[in-house]
Structure formats: C-alpha cells, structure tokens
Amino acid sequence: MQRQLLYTFCVNKARAPLLFRYELIHTLWRLWKHPRAVRTDIVAFQNRKLRHLIRHAYNNVTYYRDLFDRAGIKPGDIRTVNDLHIIPITEKNDLRACAAEDILARGSDSNRLAALVTSGSSGRPFIVRRGRIEDHVINTFRIRALRQYGVRRRDRRVMVSLGEVGEEKRETFLTHLRQALHVYRSYRVKCLQPARVICHSLEAMNPDVIAGYPSSLAHVAPLAQGRFSGKKLRHVVCGGESLDEVKRRAIEQGFGVRAFDIFGAHECNVVAWECTDTGLYHVCDDNAVVEVLRDGEHVAQGESGEVVITALHSYAMPFIRYCMGDMVEKGSETCPCGQPFSTFQSIKGRVRDYFYLPDGRHVHPLEIILPVFSEAASWLDQFQMTQETESRFFLRISSLRTPMPEDLERVQKAISERLGKGGDFRMELVDHIPFESSGKFRDCRCLISPRVSDSTPGQVS
C-alpha cells in the first residue's frame, strides 16, 4: 500500500500523505550526501529502493507480473541486489513487442507521460515513457554530476542536441520556475543546423557550459577556435555518443576548455559520469543497479561486457534487468578518488560520423535517418547507414516483421530525397547487424576522409 501511494504521487502527481512524500525527499536528500558516503551506504540505499521497485512492478505492470510468474518469482524473493540474478533479463525487443498498457504501470495515463524516442546504442528505435515528477527526480542525478564538474546553480547551460519527441510534456511549473529564477537554466540549439549557425548561436548565448553530442561539438569546434577565449565558457559536457580521443582533442582545442563525458540513456538518464581526477567513470549506483555481463555472467575488473540496468526511480515504465546494448569495460568497486561509486574503465558505445553529401552539404546523419524511421517504427528492428564513397550510401535494415513493398519504397524515396541529387542509395534487409570488433556499434558510418574545406572557418556548411 505504501509503495503504491508513492508510485501514485511520482507518476500521477496525486497528493500523497506526508510519509510518502518523505520517500521522495529521502531520495533527493541522500543523492547529495552519497558522494561523501561509504560503499555500504550506497548498497543499503540500492536494496531499499530495489524492494520498493520490485513490489511495485509486480503489482502494477502486466509485463513484469507475467515475467515473474513464469520464472516462479515472488517480490519477497528479491531482498538485495545479490538476488537480481534470478530475474530473467529483458531485451529491448521484449518491451517493443508488448502493447503500451502491458509495460506501463496500472493507472498511468500515456497521454500525460513524456515519450522519449531513442535510436539506442544498437541502432534500434525505442520509446521510453516517463512521468513529469519522475523526470525531475531522475534529472537531479545529472545535476549532481554537472556540479562535480564545477557547474553552478546560476550557470547558463546550452545544449546542442536534437529536439525530443514529447519534450513539451517535460515542461512543468518547476521547469519554468527554475528558468525564471535562473537556477540551472538550460537552453537548446538544434544540432541539425549548419555548423556556422550553431557556432554563431553559441557565441550569442555566451554560455557558462556547453553540452551536446561529441560528433556535433567536434564538427563545430574548428569554427569555434578563438571565439570563446576571454568569455565565461568553463566546460564542455558530452553525452549521447562515445567520446573518443580524436573528438575530445578537437573539442578542447576548438572551445579552449576541458571536455567531460556523461554516459546516459533515456531509460534512466545518467548511467555513469567521468571522474575529473582519475578518468574512470563513476557508475550512478544510487540511480540504477548496473550489471556488466558476458554470456549472462558478471565480468571481472578489466573485462568487457554488456550493460544491464535496473532503474531504481522509474515507476511509470519500469526497467528491471534491462539490457541496454552498450558495451563497457568494468572498473574497480570504488573509485580511487575516494567516492563510493563503482566504476567503468571505458565505455564502448554508439559512434556517429557526419555525412558529406554530393551537393556539398555536411550533415548530421540523424537529419537523414530519424524522420524516416519514426514512420517505420512498427516494423523496423535495427539499422546501420554507411557512406561508402563521395556519392554512394548503403543502408542495412533488420525488421521485426517482413515489411510490405510499399514500406521499403517509402524508405527508399524518403532517404533518396534527403540525400539530394547525385546520391547513389541502396539498402538491404539483413537478419542482424553485429557490433564491431572494438565493441562499439556505429549506426551511422562515414568511410571517406574528411574534406579539407569542411574544417576551414567559413567553409563548413
């Protein structure tokens, strides 16, 4: 009963008794204390939240009740994180195959939930739904990570990113109040614009912090050279894609400040963030229970495996032992910097390259891909698009069901139109698109060398 009332408050914004408001306040209070806590405090917090989540999911979410019943599991069987292994792992396609009412908690109004569309690290589009209050709570973990990078409450933060589907449902009174009071203000610049437009917008906004995709920021960085010296920009924070050393170097040289990396996902927001002292990634253990598995078994320190999360604060659409598809290298149980969070040594996730189009445009690949596959969500499983030469583009698709000829014709026509004249576009249906030997999945790959003119100020489109 207590957990049900807590869920009702978090998801539907109902007025909850003082005891259950305390649960919410307890989470927010503890997450600010945890960086100075000891490891046993983190584990105790995980166990407490995990028991709440498991009971809620069993009582209110059809998918998890059926999953537990098939496995012969009752909520009381899961007392600590060490008991999680008895729960079967959920793949993205398991949830995609379900009706919305089966994966959303009983009583949730899907029309009032934010619907966040992600292509995922494995090139599979997926919709994550979250309540407004949930969204604020989960976002607080990102604010905590940003504060460790020196971001202050009064800082102006500009995000170079895509506009999110369902973003308007994330706008609440608290959001507008925070903006009006200049507390953790955030503004957005669309990453699909030409580089010079993005650079001019950033310069005009004069931000304290810039955040965005590594590919977008590295694309803009040559134009930013010298433009932010003497201004108040202090940090660049990257996320949404893998930040390799080439992009990191380009961003830091272009913007003249240090770049940091946050590994996140729509399913739970922050999964891990880069330590400023050691370069390891602190796992956000109080936001999610994170397992690193290979062939279903936990890997040892220094070994690579897939990330499986149990999101501790997602009630409207729970994620319990959910395989994200990202590959990481497991680190130490706690960070040498002294914080009590477990670590990743490295992250081998999604990588995207910009495309050079035959008509001279240099565009973010999602400008071509995302509108097309938003319409194909009912049958699309996975995709990978490659620029093979100056004019030749190749798309591999795996499907949930055999698409109709008209489905494929629509994709062919839409992408050909976006590529413009001179583009030779082909596509192929395949059973599966594997990760590369590096452990990374590149849903958009450019195999040609960058054009020299595109890195020259005034020449980048």
Side-chain angles (χ1 to χ4, degrees):
M1 180 62 178
Q2 293 179 356
R3 297 169 180 83
Q4 174 61 29
L5 285 171
L6 171 62
Y7 150 73
T8 301
F9 174 65
C10 289
V11 176
N12 291 331
K13 301 196 303 179
R15 295 181 62 84
L18 182 61
L19 177 62
F20 310 114
R21 294 185 208 171
Y22 166 78
E23 272 297 330
L24 183 61
I25 295 171
H26 173 265
T27 296
L28 297 175
W29 172 248
R30 293 303 304 176
L31 74 88
W32 292 113
K33 294 174 69 70
H34 281 161
R36 300 179 298 279
V38 296
R39 182 65 188 169
T40 53
D41 291 338
I42 303 295
V43 175
F45 181 88
Q46 285 184 319
N47 292 337
R48 171 179 174 157
K49 296 301 178 183
L50 180 63
R51 290 191 291 270
H52 287 197
L53 175 70
I54 294 296
R55 187 170 299 278
H56 158 75
Y58 185 80
N59 290 335
N60 296 285
V61 183
T62 300
Y63 171 81
Y64 285 108
R65 186 180 187 91
D66 292 345
L67 180 72
F68 283 25
D69 287 347
R70 287 195 302 270
I73 300 169
K74 297 299 181 183
D77 297 334
I78 311 299
R79 303 299 300 168
T80 73
V81 295
N82 294 327
D83 300 323
L84 271 175
H85 70 277
I86 69 174
I87 301 176
I89 290 175
T90 291
E91 302 278 352
K92 187 172 294 185
N93 280 348
D94 295 331
L95 299 183
R96 292 175 68 203
C98 294
E101 57 269 22
D102 291 336
I103 57 177
L104 295 179
R106 177 164 46 90
S108 298
D109 182 356
S110 60
N111 293 323
R112 300 185 64 183
L113 300 176
L116 311 174
V117 181
T118 172
S119 67
S121 60
S122 56
R124 290 184 169 96
F126 184 56
I127 298 177
V128 175
R129 292 179 170 85
R130 196 153 62 227
R132 295 182 182 183
I133 301 300
E134 279 182 337
D135 204 39
H136 282 295
V137 172
I138 293 172
N139 191 55
T140 307
F141 291 92
R142 180 171 292 270
I143 292 174
R144 182 181 67 182
L146 292 173
R147 284 183 63 86
Q148 292 193 14
Y149 296 147
V151 178
R152 301 185 290 256
R153 285 191 298 270
R154 296 287 181 177
D155 283 348
R156 176 190 291 261
R157 182 163 48 109
V158 177
M159 296 179 288
V160 181
S161 64
L162 290 166
E164 303 284 3
V165 176
E167 189 172 14
E168 69 283 351
K169 294 184 181 179
R170 304 177 74 184
E171 297 292 329
T172 66
F173 170 76
L174 291 177
T175 304
H176 296 300
L177 179 62
R178 181 165 48 81
Q179 293 285 97
L181 295 177
H182 293 186
V183 175
Y184 296 117
R185 293 171 292 170
S186 60
Y187 305 90
R188 191 181 301 279
V189 173
K190 294 291 185 66
C191 71
L192 302 185
Q193 300 178 101
R196 68 169 65 90
V197 174
I198 296 174
C199 190
H200 290 161
S201 297
L202 291 175
E203 193 174 16
M205 289 181 172
N206 193 24
D208 300 278
V209 180
I210 294 174
Y213 296 132
S215 58
S216 298
L217 297 177
H219 177 47
V220 174
L223 287 176
Q225 196 98 32
R227 295 195 182 198
F228 291 90
S229 59
K231 294 198 173 184
K232 61 180 185 176
L233 180 65
R234 299 196 316 278
H235 309 294
V236 171
V237 180
C238 298
E241 300 168 352
S242 292
L243 176 63
D244 58 43
E245 288 307 311
V246 174
K247 289 187 176 69
R248 185 191 293 272
R249 187 164 54 251
I251 291 168
E252 292 185 341
Q253 289 177 352
F255 290 98
V257 296
R258 190 173 175 185
F260 298 105
D261 189 26
I262 293 180
F263 170 39
H266 280 320
E267 289 85 350
C268 66
N269 204 321
V270 177
V271 178
W273 72 98
E274 186 179 1
C275 177
T276 58
D277 296 331
T278 67
L280 297 175
Y281 286 80
H282 294 160
V283 178
C284 200
D285 293 317
D286 45 1
N287 186 33
V289 179
V290 179
E291 303 171 80
V292 184
L293 307 178
R294 185 172 61 229
D295 299 326
E297 300 294 329
H298 289 85
V299 303
Q301 181 177 340
E303 295 181 339
S304 296
E306 281 193 281
V307 174
V308 173
I309 65 164
T310 299
L312 295 174
H313 309 287
S314 294
Y315 288 88
M317 185 176 179
F319 295 95
I320 299 173
R321 295 208 86 202
Y322 171 79
C323 185
M324 291 177 55
D326 289 282
M327 298 286 291
V328 302
E329 184 179 353
K330 185 175 175 61
S332 53
E333 188 65 18
T334 58
C335 186
C337 75
Q339 294 199 40
F341 303 105
S342 58
T343 67
F344 297 147
Q345 290 185 9
S346 64
I347 295 170
K348 305 171 181 179
R350 176 177 54 227
V351 178
R352 289 196 180 107
D353 300 327
Y354 265 68
F355 287 164
Y356 301 87
L357 302 190
D359 60 9
R361 286 179 293 149
H362 187 194
V363 302
H364 195 287
L366 292 186
E367 184 174 352
I368 297 169
I369 294 291
L370 204 58
V372 176
F373 290 139
S374 294
E375 300 175 3
S378 63
W379 60 268
L380 175 69
D381 177 27
Q382 192 176 24
F383 73 88
Q384 184 181 69
M385 188 164 178
T386 303
Q387 180 171 13
E388 299 176 323
T389 69
E390 293 278 345
S391 60
R392 190 165 66 240
F393 299 82
F394 179 56
L395 175 67
R396 290 193 292 176
I397 306 175
S398 64
S399 59
L400 296 170
R401 60 169 175 80
T402 302
M404 301 296 289
E406 53 267 29
D407 293 331
L408 297 177
E409 288 174 8
R410 279 194 291 269
V411 172
Q412 178 80 36
K413 180 180 178 181
I415 292 182
S416 296
E417 288 177 350
R418 285 174 169 80
L419 290 175
K421 293 181 179 180
D424 175 17
F425 172 63
R426 297 174 296 114
M427 64 182 182
E428 177 186 10
L429 283 173
V430 297
D431 293 330
H432 174 65
I433 305 174
F435 281 78
E436 297 186 356
S437 59
S438 65
K440 298 178 181 178
F441 184 88
R442 298 172 67 187
D443 56 18
C444 300
R445 306 183 300 163
C446 180
L447 305 184
I448 67 175
S449 300
R451 298 171 183 165
V452 175
S453 62
D454 279 322
S455 61
T456 305
Q459 297 296 318
V460 182
S461 62

Coordinates of all heavy atoms in Angstrom, one line a residue, residues 43-96:
V43 N 25.0 0.7 -1.1 CA 24.4 -0.6 -1.3 C 23.1 -0.7 -0.5 O 22.1 -1.3 -1.0 CB 25.4 -1.8 -0.9 CG1 24.7 -3.1 -0.9 CG2 26.6 -1.8 -1.8
A44 N 23.1 -0.2 0.7 CA 21.8 -0.2 1.5 C 20.7 0.6 0.8 O 19.6 0.2 0.9 CB 22.1 0.4 2.9
F45 N 21.1 1.7 0.2 CA 20.1 2.6 -0.5 C 19.6 1.8 -1.7 O 18.4 1.8 -1.9 CB 20.8 3.8 -0.9 CG 19.9 4.8 -1.7 CD1 19.2 5.7 -1.0 CD2 19.8 4.8 -3.1 CE1 18.3 6.6 -1.7 CE2 19.0 5.6 -3.8 CZ 18.2 6.6 -3.1
Q46 N 20.5 1.1 -2.4 CA 20.1 0.3 -3.6 C 19.1 -0.7 -3.1 O 18.0 -0.9 -3.8 CB 21.3 -0.4 -4.2 CG 22.1 0.5 -5.1 CD 23.2 -0.2 -5.7 OE1 23.8 -1.1 -5.1 NE2 23.5 0.1 -7.0
N47 N 19.4 -1.4 -2.1 CA 18.5 -2.5 -1.6 C 17.1 -2.0 -1.2 O 16.1 -2.7 -1.5 CB 19.1 -3.3 -0.4 CG 20.4 -4.0 -0.8 OD1 20.6 -4.4 -2.0 ND2 21.3 -4.3 0.1
R48 N 17.1 -0.9 -0.5 CA 15.8 -0.3 -0.1 C 15.0 0.0 -1.3 O 13.8 -0.3 -1.4 CB 16.1 0.9 0.7 CG 14.8 1.7 1.1 CD 15.1 2.9 1.9 NE 14.0 3.7 2.1 CZ 13.8 4.6 3.1 NH1 14.7 4.6 4.1 NH2 12.7 5.3 3.2
K49 N 15.6 0.8 -2.3 CA 14.8 1.2 -3.5 C 14.4 0.0 -4.4 O 13.4 0.0 -5.0 CB 15.6 2.2 -4.3 CG 15.9 3.5 -3.5 CD 14.6 4.2 -3.1 CE 14.9 5.4 -2.3 NZ 13.6 6.1 -1.9
L50 N 15.3 -1.0 -4.4 CA 15.0 -2.2 -5.2 C 13.8 -2.9 -4.7 O 13.0 -3.3 -5.5 CB 16.2 -3.1 -5.2 CG 16.1 -4.4 -6.0 CD1 15.9 -4.1 -7.5 CD2 17.4 -5.3 -5.8
R51 N 13.7 -3.1 -3.4 CA 12.5 -3.8 -2.9 C 11.2 -3.0 -3.2 O 10.2 -3.6 -3.6 CB 12.6 -3.9 -1.4 CG 13.7 -4.9 -1.0 CD 13.7 -5.3 0.5 NE 14.0 -4.2 1.4 CZ 15.3 -3.9 1.8 NH1 16.3 -4.7 1.4 NH2 15.6 -2.9 2.5
H52 N 11.2 -1.7 -3.1 CA 10.1 -0.9 -3.5 C 9.7 -1.1 -5.0 O 8.6 -1.3 -5.3 CB 10.4 0.6 -3.3 CG 10.4 1.0 -1.8 ND1 10.3 2.3 -1.4 CD2 10.5 0.3 -0.7 CE1 10.3 2.4 -0.1 NE2 10.5 1.2 0.4
L53 N 10.7 -1.0 -5.8 CA 10.5 -1.1 -7.3 C 10.0 -2.5 -7.6 O 9.0 -2.6 -8.4 CB 11.8 -0.9 -8.0 CG 11.8 -1.1 -9.5 CD1 11.0 0.0 -10.2 CD2 13.2 -1.1 -10.1
I54 N 10.5 -3.6 -7.1 CA 10.1 -4.9 -7.5 C 8.7 -5.2 -7.1 O 7.9 -5.7 -7.9 CB 11.0 -6.0 -6.8 CG1 12.5 -5.9 -7.3 CG2 10.5 -7.4 -7.0 CD1 12.6 -6.2 -8.8
R55 N 8.3 -4.7 -5.9 CA 6.9 -4.9 -5.4 C 6.0 -4.1 -6.3 O 4.9 -4.6 -6.7 CB 6.8 -4.6 -4.0 CG 5.4 -4.9 -3.4 CD 5.4 -4.8 -1.9 NE 6.3 -5.7 -1.2 CZ 6.1 -6.9 -1.0 NH1 4.9 -7.5 -1.3 NH2 7.0 -7.7 -0.4
H56 N 6.3 -2.9 -6.6 CA 5.5 -2.0 -7.4 C 5.3 -2.6 -8.8 O 4.2 -2.7 -9.3 CB 6.1 -0.7 -7.6 CG 5.7 0.1 -8.8 ND1 4.4 0.7 -8.9 CD2 6.3 0.3 -10.0 CE1 4.3 1.2 -10.1 NE2 5.4 1.0 -10.8
A57 N 6.4 -3.1 -9.4 CA 6.3 -3.7 -10.8 C 5.5 -4.9 -10.8 O 4.7 -5.1 -11.7 CB 7.7 -4.0 -11.3
Y58 N 5.6 -5.8 -9.8 CA 4.8 -7.0 -9.8 C 3.3 -6.7 -9.6 O 2.5 -7.3 -10.3 CB 5.3 -7.9 -8.6 CG 4.6 -9.2 -8.6 CD1 5.0 -10.3 -9.4 CD2 3.5 -9.5 -7.7 CE1 4.3 -11.5 -9.4 CE2 2.9 -10.7 -7.7 CZ 3.3 -11.7 -8.6 OH 2.6 -12.9 -8.5
N59 N 3.0 -5.7 -8.8 CA 1.6 -5.4 -8.5 C 0.9 -4.6 -9.6 O -0.3 -4.6 -9.7 CB 1.5 -4.7 -7.2 CG 1.8 -5.6 -6.0 OD1 1.7 -6.8 -6.1 ND2 2.2 -5.0 -4.9
N60 N 1.7 -3.8 -10.4 CA 1.1 -2.8 -11.3 C 1.5 -2.9 -12.8 O 0.9 -2.2 -13.6 CB 1.5 -1.4 -10.8 CG 1.0 -1.1 -9.4 OD1 -0.2 -0.8 -9.3 ND2 1.8 -1.2 -8.4
V61 N 2.4 -3.8 -13.1 CA 2.9 -3.8 -14.5 C 2.7 -5.2 -15.0 O 3.3 -6.2 -14.5 CB 4.4 -3.4 -14.7 CG1 4.8 -3.4 -16.1 CG2 4.6 -2.0 -14.1
T62 N 1.8 -5.4 -16.0 CA 1.5 -6.7 -16.5 C 2.7 -7.5 -17.0 O 2.9 -8.7 -16.7 CB 0.5 -6.6 -17.7 OG1 -0.7 -5.9 -17.2 CG2 0.1 -7.9 -18.2
Y63 N 3.6 -6.8 -17.7 CA 4.8 -7.5 -18.3 C 5.6 -8.1 -17.2 O 6.0 -9.3 -17.3 CB 5.6 -6.5 -19.1 CG 6.9 -7.1 -19.5 CD1 7.0 -7.9 -20.6 CD2 8.1 -6.9 -18.8 CE1 8.2 -8.5 -21.0 CE2 9.3 -7.4 -19.1 CZ 9.4 -8.2 -20.3 OH 10.6 -8.8 -20.6
Y64 N 5.9 -7.4 -16.1 CA 6.7 -7.9 -15.1 C 6.0 -9.0 -14.2 O 6.6 -9.9 -13.7 CB 7.3 -6.8 -14.2 CG 8.4 -6.0 -15.0 CD1 8.2 -4.8 -15.5 CD2 9.6 -6.6 -15.2 CE1 9.1 -4.1 -16.2 CE2 10.6 -6.0 -15.9 CZ 10.4 -4.7 -16.4 OH 11.3 -4.0 -17.1
R65 N 4.7 -8.8 -14.0 CA 4.0 -9.8 -13.3 C 4.0 -11.2 -14.0 O 4.3 -12.2 -13.4 CB 2.5 -9.4 -13.1 CG 1.8 -10.3 -12.1 CD 0.3 -9.9 -11.9 NE -0.3 -10.8 -10.9 CZ -0.4 -10.5 -9.6 NH1 0.2 -9.4 -9.2 NH2 -1.0 -11.3 -8.8
D66 N 3.8 -11.1 -15.3 CA 3.9 -12.3 -16.1 C 5.3 -12.9 -16.1 O 5.5 -14.1 -16.1 CB 3.4 -12.1 -17.6 CG 1.9 -11.7 -17.7 OD1 1.2 -12.0 -16.7 OD2 1.5 -11.2 -18.7
L67 N 6.3 -12.0 -16.3 CA 7.7 -12.5 -16.3 C 8.1 -13.2 -15.0 O 8.7 -14.3 -15.0 CB 8.6 -11.3 -16.5 CG 10.1 -11.5 -16.5 CD1 10.5 -12.3 -17.8 CD2 10.9 -10.2 -16.4
F68 N 7.7 -12.6 -13.9 CA 8.0 -13.2 -12.6 C 7.2 -14.5 -12.4 O 7.8 -15.5 -11.9 CB 7.6 -12.2 -11.4 CG 8.6 -11.1 -11.2 CD1 9.4 -10.6 -12.3 CD2 8.7 -10.4 -10.0 CE1 10.3 -9.6 -12.1 CE2 9.6 -9.4 -9.8 CZ 10.4 -9.0 -10.9
D69 N 6.0 -14.5 -12.8 CA 5.2 -15.7 -12.6 C 5.7 -16.9 -13.4 O 5.8 -18.0 -12.9 CB 3.7 -15.5 -13.0 CG 3.0 -14.6 -11.9 OD1 3.5 -14.5 -10.8 OD2 1.9 -14.2 -12.2
R70 N 6.2 -16.6 -14.6 CA 6.7 -17.7 -15.5 C 8.0 -18.2 -14.9 O 8.4 -19.4 -15.0 CB 7.0 -17.1 -16.9 CG 5.8 -16.9 -17.7 CD 6.2 -16.8 -19.2 NE 7.1 -15.7 -19.4 CZ 6.7 -14.4 -19.7 NH1 5.4 -14.1 -19.7 NH2 7.6 -13.5 -19.9
A71 N 8.8 -17.3 -14.2 CA 10.0 -17.8 -13.6 C 9.8 -18.3 -12.1 O 10.8 -18.7 -11.5 CB 11.0 -16.6 -13.6
G72 N 8.6 -18.2 -11.6 CA 8.3 -18.7 -10.3 C 8.9 -17.8 -9.2 O 9.3 -18.2 -8.1
I73 N 8.9 -16.5 -9.5 CA 9.5 -15.5 -8.6 C 8.4 -14.7 -7.9 O 7.4 -14.2 -8.6 CB 10.4 -14.5 -9.3 CG1 11.6 -15.3 -10.0 CG2 11.0 -13.5 -8.4 CD1 12.4 -14.5 -10.9
K74 N 8.5 -14.4 -6.6 CA 7.6 -13.5 -5.9 C 8.4 -12.3 -5.4 O 9.7 -12.4 -5.3 CB 7.0 -14.2 -4.7 CG 6.1 -15.4 -5.0 CD 4.9 -15.0 -5.9 CE 4.0 -16.1 -6.2 NZ 2.9 -15.7 -7.1
P75 N 7.8 -11.2 -5.3 CA 8.5 -10.0 -4.8 C 9.4 -10.2 -3.6 O 10.5 -9.6 -3.5 CB 7.4 -8.9 -4.6 CG 6.3 -9.3 -5.5 CD 6.4 -10.8 -5.5
G76 N 8.9 -11.0 -2.7 CA 9.7 -11.2 -1.5 C 11.0 -12.0 -1.7 O 11.9 -12.0 -0.8
D77 N 11.2 -12.6 -2.9 CA 12.4 -13.3 -3.2 C 13.6 -12.3 -3.5 O 14.7 -12.7 -3.5 CB 12.2 -14.2 -4.4 CG 11.2 -15.3 -4.2 OD1 11.0 -15.7 -3.0 OD2 10.5 -15.7 -5.1
I78 N 13.2 -11.1 -3.8 CA 14.3 -10.1 -4.1 C 14.4 -9.2 -2.9 O 13.6 -8.2 -2.8 CB 13.9 -9.3 -5.4 CG1 13.4 -10.2 -6.5 CG2 15.0 -8.4 -5.8 CD1 14.5 -11.2 -7.0
R79 N 15.4 -9.4 -2.1 CA 15.7 -8.6 -1.0 C 16.9 -7.6 -1.1 O 16.9 -6.6 -0.6 CB 15.9 -9.5 0.3 CG 14.8 -10.4 0.6 CD 13.5 -9.7 0.9 NE 13.6 -8.9 2.0 CZ 12.7 -7.9 2.4 NH1 11.6 -7.8 1.6 NH2 12.9 -7.2 3.4
T80 N 17.8 -8.1 -1.9 CA 19.0 -7.3 -2.1 C 19.5 -7.4 -3.6 O 18.9 -8.2 -4.4 CB 20.2 -7.8 -1.3 OG1 20.7 -9.0 -1.8 CG2 19.8 -7.9 0.2
V81 N 20.4 -6.6 -4.0 CA 20.9 -6.6 -5.4 C 21.5 -7.9 -5.7 O 21.6 -8.3 -6.9 CB 22.0 -5.5 -5.6 CG1 21.3 -4.1 -5.4 CG2 23.1 -5.6 -4.6
N82 N 22.0 -8.7 -4.7 CA 22.5 -10.0 -5.0 C 21.5 -11.0 -5.4 O 21.8 -12.1 -5.9 CB 23.3 -10.5 -3.7 CG 24.5 -9.7 -3.4 OD1 25.2 -9.2 -4.3 ND2 24.8 -9.6 -2.1
D83 N 20.2 -10.7 -5.2 CA 19.1 -11.6 -5.6 C 18.7 -11.3 -7.1 O 17.9 -12.1 -7.6 CB 17.9 -11.4 -4.7 CG 18.3 -11.8 -3.2 OD1 19.1 -12.7 -3.0 OD2 17.7 -11.1 -2.3
L84 N 19.1 -10.3 -7.7 CA 18.6 -9.9 -9.0 C 18.9 -10.9 -10.1 O 18.1 -11.0 -11.0 CB 19.3 -8.6 -9.5 CG 18.6 -7.3 -9.1 CD1 19.5 -6.1 -9.5 CD2 17.2 -7.2 -9.7
H85 N 19.9 -11.7 -9.9 CA 20.3 -12.7 -10.9 C 19.2 -13.7 -11.2 O 19.2 -14.3 -12.3 CB 21.6 -13.4 -10.5 CG 21.4 -14.4 -9.4 ND1 21.4 -14.0 -8.1 CD2 21.2 -15.7 -9.4 CE1 21.3 -15.0 -7.3 NE2 21.1 -16.1 -8.0
I86 N 18.3 -13.9 -10.3 CA 17.2 -14.9 -10.6 C 16.1 -14.4 -11.5 O 15.3 -15.1 -12.0 CB 16.6 -15.4 -9.2 CG1 15.7 -14.3 -8.6 CG2 17.6 -15.9 -8.3 CD1 15.0 -14.8 -7.3
I87 N 16.1 -13.0 -11.7 CA 15.1 -12.4 -12.7 C 15.7 -12.5 -14.1 O 16.8 -12.2 -14.4 CB 14.9 -11.0 -12.3 CG1 14.4 -10.8 -10.9 CG2 13.9 -10.3 -13.3 CD1 14.2 -9.4 -10.4
P88 N 14.9 -13.0 -15.0 CA 15.3 -13.1 -16.4 C 15.6 -11.7 -17.0 O 15.0 -10.7 -16.6 CB 14.1 -13.7 -17.2 CG 13.4 -14.5 -16.1 CD 13.5 -13.7 -14.8
I89 N 16.6 -11.6 -17.8 CA 16.9 -10.4 -18.5 C 15.9 -10.0 -19.5 O 15.4 -10.8 -20.2 CB 18.3 -10.5 -19.1 CG1 19.4 -10.6 -18.0 CG2 18.6 -9.3 -20.0 CD1 20.8 -10.8 -18.6
T90 N 15.6 -8.7 -19.6 CA 14.6 -8.2 -20.5 C 15.4 -7.5 -21.6 O 16.2 -6.6 -21.4 CB 13.7 -7.2 -19.9 OG1 12.8 -7.9 -19.0 CG2 12.8 -6.4 -20.9
E91 N 15.1 -7.8 -22.9 CA 15.7 -7.2 -24.0 C 14.8 -6.1 -24.5 O 13.6 -6.1 -24.2 CB 16.0 -8.2 -25.2 CG 16.8 -9.4 -24.8 CD 18.3 -9.0 -24.9 OE1 18.6 -7.9 -25.4 OE2 19.1 -9.9 -24.4
K92 N 15.4 -5.2 -25.3 CA 14.6 -4.1 -25.8 C 13.4 -4.6 -26.6 O 12.3 -4.1 -26.6 CB 15.5 -3.1 -26.6 CG 14.8 -1.9 -27.1 CD 15.8 -0.9 -27.8 CE 16.8 -0.4 -26.8 NZ 17.7 0.6 -27.4
N93 N 13.7 -5.6 -27.4 CA 12.6 -6.1 -28.3 C 11.5 -6.8 -27.5 O 10.4 -6.9 -28.0 CB 13.2 -7.1 -29.3 CG 13.8 -6.4 -30.5 OD1 13.7 -5.2 -30.7 ND2 14.6 -7.2 -31.3
D94 N 11.8 -7.3 -26.3 CA 10.7 -7.8 -25.4 C 9.7 -6.8 -25.1 O 8.5 -7.1 -25.1 CB 11.3 -8.4 -24.1 CG 12.3 -9.6 -24.4 OD1 12.1 -10.3 -25.4 OD2 13.2 -9.7 -23.6
L95 N 10.2 -5.6 -24.8 CA 9.2 -4.5 -24.5 C 8.6 -3.9 -25.7 O 7.4 -3.5 -25.7 CB 10.0 -3.4 -23.7 CG 10.6 -3.8 -22.4 CD1 11.2 -2.6 -21.7 CD2 9.6 -4.4 -21.5
R96 N 9.3 -3.9 -26.8 CA 8.8 -3.3 -28.1 C 7.6 -4.2 -28.6 O 6.7 -3.7 -29.3 CB 9.9 -3.2 -29.1 CG 10.9 -2.1 -28.8 CD 12.1 -2.2 -29.8 NE 11.6 -1.7 -31.1 CZ 12.2 -2.0 -32.3 NH1 13.2 -2.8 -32.3 NH2 11.8 -1.5 -33.4

